[in-house]
Amino acid sequence: PSLTTRLYSEEDSVVILTSATVKQTLLNSSTAWLVQFYSSWCGHCIQYSPTWKALAGDVKDWEHAIRIGVLDCAQENNFDICKEFGIHFYPTFRVCASQDLNYVGADRELQTVRQLMVNFLQNHTTQDWPVSCPPLEPYSSADILPLIGQKSNQYTAVIVENEDSYVGREVILDLMMYQGLTVKRALSSEKSLTEKLGINSFPSAYLLHPNGTHAILHVQKRLRFFFSSFLKLLLGVHRKLSTSGAPQELPVSLIFSRSKVYMADLESGLHYLLRVELATHQTLEGEELKTFKDFVTVVAKLFPGRQSVVKLLETLLEWLVSLPLEKIPFDAILDLVNNKMRISGMFLSDQLQWVGCQGSRVGLRGYPCSLWTLFHVLTVQAASRPDALANTGLEENPKAVLQTMRKYIVNFFGCQECGKHFEEMAVASLPQVKSVDQAVLWLWRKHNQVNGRLAGTMSEDPHFPKTQWPSPDLCPTCHEEQDGIHVWNEDKVLMFLKQHYGAANISPKHMY
Ligand code: FAD
């Protein structure tokens, strides 16, 4: 790998610029750019790269206004361009706006850089550039008061705060890719507004609903992430699609709760996995057979399901273990699952019934959603029932569930690209997992990484935007802020995952 790819990769939300692309990219851009010219041999730059990646992730939703780039001046083919740009020290930061390139002082705390970006955008939006950047100037009482009680085709959220606070402008930018909502900023010095809205602590958010009703927005902590996350999840607020056209307003057919896990999803997933995905393989042998056996072992021992399903899985496992064959025709497995076992009351429904995993149209959510859900449930079971895998050969291995998942995804998961990405993540960080609790957290972390990568792409169901999960409404204590940066409280996340994916939270509702 090149030096550039060692410090930064496409996974990082930063745009990797080179001498071949930099001018064309920066000078003809409809967005502003914040570029770090670095050198891959400079220790300072290496130490700084996690901050820069974190910044790029933090402001990913602002990318139609400002984007984050890197250019490695230590690469031979970039020598000339760095000279042309006059880069003498590393790292050097530049905000690039249309034709002008300005040096920016290298105060490098994430929060400071982010505030600098906001100031920069605010100064430029007065000149209507970048075109997609929403207005960041505060609104006056006279602008806002007439809206109160009015019907509208969208929500308006008003963040009222002190002049030196950045929360309002950051929330405006966080929501710029969303439709169905406008966010405005007003200052706490607007007395007639604060009196009318009954707001006396800042920052506060006030929400005007499309139907004319209005109220203070209650969040657990009055922080940027809590406000943004709440607004993104409002009914009728969607991420704008890159393909044109509004998201279809297909009704979600079954009422379900986001704070529950549904047995119907888990069983539908197992049905699809066994009877559709695996059934495309005529015979199982070698690595595939081993993967299948491990998979059946893990689910038979850990799946907290209905008696009829668990019995079926256990019987399938006994059958596989007792067979000395090196090669098994998949038809034999299907025959066992579909016919032989049914007689003794062991069965797995052959209906696809998505509840928590239902999508707003066919092709969205469904099976991959159920597969994530299944493996989260299994990692949590492995952590809460330490003896469950006794005598399987997997009992000593805290990564048994994750390794089984990894092998399943690589060998069988129909989406090959997904498998490739997952494998890359596993190679990079699975060896660090040393306990069953860390396994639970690893899968959560990697799932969020995938969510981050897929947000705004065509895989996203506009009715179920991909967010960093669990959102503050599901687990307020999981979220904290340190120096203006969102951080997870991982102890609380672990507790939450164990509760959310625990057997007691799996709802039997909507089961056939
Ligand atoms: P999903 O991401 O499927 O999540 C299902 C449910 O899990 C959510 O509704 C939520 O309740 C919960 N959840 C969300 N985040 C977390 C978390 N961090 N921890 C615990 N629970 C959480 N699609 C692609 O287009 N490209 C890919 O590269 C890709 N890779 C994939 C890799 C794997 C291993 C899998 C299983 C799927 C992959 N997919 C990929 C599919 C994609 O991740 C989604 O599953 C799919 O788009 C459906 O999304 P969803 O909205 O139903 O939510």
Side-chain angles (χ1 to χ4, degrees):
S2 69
L3 292 170
T4 312
T5 49
R6 259 200 275 142
L7 265 198
Y8 294 97
S9 81
E10 298 295 342
E11 290 279 304
D12 296 324
S13 311
V14 297
V15 178
I16 298 170
L17 299 164
T18 64
S19 61
T21 58
V22 65
K23 280 194 183 164
Q24 189 193 11
T25 310
L26 300 188
L27 300 182
N28 294 322
S29 182
S30 60
T31 71
W33 283 82
L34 179 57
V35 181
Q36 183 197 161
F37 293 85
Y38 75 102
S39 161
S40 42
W41 52 253
C42 130
H44 212 87
C45 302
I46 297 168
Q47 280 165 32
Y48 189 61
S49 63
T51 308
W52 200 247
K53 290 176 193 185
L55 173 72
D58 186 280
V59 300
K60 188 164 185 262
D61 280 350
W62 305 8
E63 69 185 10
H64 289 178
I66 187 161
R67 306 196 68 184
I68 303 287
V70 283
L71 193 140
D72 183 359
C73 293
Q75 279 203 346
E76 203 174 339
N77 53 359
N78 291 337
F79 286 174
D80 285 349
I81 197 80
C82 290
K83 200 166 144 196
E84 191 178 323
F85 276 68
I87 310 297
H88 303 300
F89 303 103
Y90 311 114
T92 289
F93 303 88
R94 292 231 167 136
V95 179
C96 305
S98 194
Q99 300 290 320
D100 65 283
L101 301 166
N102 305 312
Y103 179 74
V104 177
D107 186 344
R108 306 190 199 109
E109 293 290 319
L110 192 159
Q111 188 179 11
T112 324
V113 180
R114 195 175 65 209
Q115 292 178 354
L116 188 139
M117 292 165 71
V118 170
N119 291 342
F120 175 84
L121 287 172
Q122 185 168 359
N123 289 340
H124 274 79
T125 44
T126 49
Q127 297 148 33
D128 291 330
W129 190 90
V131 269
S132 302
C133 188
L136 298 170
E137 293 292 324
Y139 285 79
S140 67
S141 305
D143 299 320
I144 308 275
L145 287 172
L147 304 178
I148 295 170
Q150 295 292 318
K151 287 197 173 146
S152 162
N153 56 3
Q154 59 172 352
Y155 290 94
T156 301
V158 186
I159 312 269
V160 190
E161 62 183 350
N162 295 334
E163 189 165 8
D164 58 359
S165 164
Y166 280 84
V167 172
R169 285 167 287 178
E170 289 170 350
V171 174
I172 293 174
L173 289 163
D174 285 345
L175 270 296
M176 66 175 282
M177 307 255 253
Y178 286 73
Q179 60 190 42
L181 169 86
T182 310
V183 186
K184 297 177 193 274
R185 174 179 191 239
L187 299 184
S188 50
S189 51
E190 297 282 338
K191 289 287 171 264
S192 51
L193 182 70
T194 53
E195 271 165 33
K196 168 82 182 167
L197 303 183
I199 294 177
N200 45 30
S201 48
F202 308 103
S204 279
Y206 201 85
L207 191 62
L208 313 180
H209 292 252
N211 66 7
T213 59
H214 48 93
I216 283 241
L217 192 151
H218 287 289
V219 286
Q220 304 263 353
K221 300 179 192 170
R222 288 180 304 165
L223 301 172
R224 166 195 171 200
F225 189 78
F226 280 67
F227 290 127
S228 293
S229 169
F230 184 100
L231 296 174
K232 286 177 188 176
L233 290 171
L234 284 173
L235 207 65
V237 171
H238 309 289
R239 187 184 275 273
K240 290 176 196 157
L241 296 177
S242 43
T243 48
S244 58
Q248 300 160 10
E249 291 298 335
L250 276 184
V252 170
S253 54
L254 297 166
I255 302 295
F256 74 100
S257 157
R258 292 195 317 121
S259 58
K260 286 266 166 221
V261 170
Y262 289 87
M263 191 56 86
D265 292 320
L266 296 168
E267 285 194 16
S268 296
L270 277 175
H271 154 63
Y272 186 92
L273 181 151
L274 282 171
R275 297 202 183 92
V276 184
E277 189 157 82
L278 284 172
T280 59
H281 297 253
Q282 289 190 339
T283 47
L284 297 181
E285 60 184 313
E287 176 64 17
E288 286 186 355
L289 183 56
K290 169 91 176 69
T291 301
F292 182 63
K293 277 187 182 164
D294 283 352
F295 176 79
V296 177
T297 307
V298 164
V299 269
K301 298 294 177 188
L302 295 174
F303 186 61
R306 293 195 282 186
Q307 187 73 16
S308 61
V309 178
V310 173
K311 277 258 51 84
L312 177 141
L313 293 165
E314 283 173 348
T315 312
L316 178 58
L317 177 61
E318 280 166 27
W319 183 78
L320 282 171
V321 170
S322 66
L323 271 185
L325 299 177
E326 297 199 337
K327 197 169 173 177
I328 301 183
F330 202 78
D331 277 349
I333 296 169
L334 282 180
D335 184 43
L336 191 78
V337 169
N338 291 339
N339 308 320
K340 299 219 174 73
M341 294 200 222
R342 204 173 256 277
I343 305 163
S344 11
M346 297 180 248
F347 67 94
L348 172 65
S349 163
D350 54 8
Q351 307 281 335
L352 278 184
Q353 162 84 325
W354 306 122
V355 181
C357 283
Q358 64 191 305
S360 64
R361 66 174 164 76
V362 177
L364 292 173
R365 311 199 72 223
Y367 176 59
C369 168
S370 72
L371 204 57
W372 280 119
T373 311
L374 174 67
F375 281 106
H376 287 300
V377 166
L378 296 177
T379 53
V380 164
Q381 285 298 306
S384 20
R385 294 166 44 213
D387 299 329
L389 290 174
N391 304 321
T392 61
L394 300 174
E395 59 272 30
E396 299 291 325
N397 181 358
K399 287 184 276 204
V401 173
L402 295 180
Q403 280 164 345
T404 306
M405 173 177 183
R406 174 180 180 179
K407 286 200 298 175
Y408 184 87
I409 298 291
V410 154
N411 284 302
F412 300 119
F413 190 42
C415 166
Q416 256 186 348
E417 269 305 295
C418 307
K420 230 177 73 196
H421 280 127
F422 194 70
E423 187 58 26
E424 279 166 18
M425 298 196 295
V427 168
S429 58
L430 197 53
Q432 285 128 42
V433 173
K434 300 281 187 265
S435 70
V436 280
D437 280 353
Q438 285 173 10
V440 173
L441 282 171
W442 186 88
L443 193 60
W444 159 75
R445 218 175 281 122
K446 296 300 131 183
H447 192 171
N448 267 343
Q449 210 169 312
V450 174
N451 293 343
R453 179 157 53 76
L454 297 182
T457 69
M458 284 166 76
S459 302
E460 180 173 66
D461 187 327
H463 290 260
F464 299 92
K466 294 199 186 290
T467 53
Q468 294 299 292
W469 190 94
S471 49
D473 60 317
L474 289 176
C475 179
T477 55
C478 292
H479 300 269
E480 288 174 2
E481 206 178 89
Q482 268 169 18
D483 302 326
I485 300 157
H486 173 265
V487 286
W488 293 100
N489 180 327
E490 294 202 349
D491 292 339
K492 294 290 192 313
V493 171
L494 181 62
M495 272 166 57
F496 176 79
L497 289 166
K498 287 186 172 177
Q499 178 276 324
H500 183 83
Y501 287 111
N505 197 40
I506 303 180
S507 165
K509 250 176 131 179
H510 308 295
M511 296 287 299
Y512 284 112

